[in-house]
Amino acid sequence: MKRYIALYVATLLTMIPLDMLFLRVLAKDYFNDQVGQLLTKNPNITAAILFYVLYVAGIVIFVSATAASWKTTVQYGAL
């Protein structure tokens, strides 16, 4: 259980800053051009929090938790 909590926190602390960097800096013009008419002035914070909770849980369940260890991943990852 401690492993999953540690994976969740580490993933959350990694993904949120990366996603914010992507959305606010790298893809800002793209979003304004492509979906600007769909963007709202007042975003739904509850929906955003729920999204990130589920998004990070999905990463932990389907990606991080399936790796036996970093040594095994490095050893067999290139096969």
Side-chain angles (χ1 to χ4, degrees), residues 2 5 10 17-18 30 34 40 42-43 45 49 53 61 68-69 74 77-78:
K2 287 183 182 179
I5 293 171
L18 287 175
Y30 175 78
Q34 300 299 317
T40 180
N42 302 318
I45 300 300
I49 292 170
V53 165
I61 291 168
S69 72
V74 170

Side-chain angles (χ1 to χ4, degrees), residues 36-48:
Q37 69 277 8
L38 299 174
L39 297 176
T40 180
K41 298 284 184 200
N42 302 318
N44 187 343
I45 300 300
T46 305

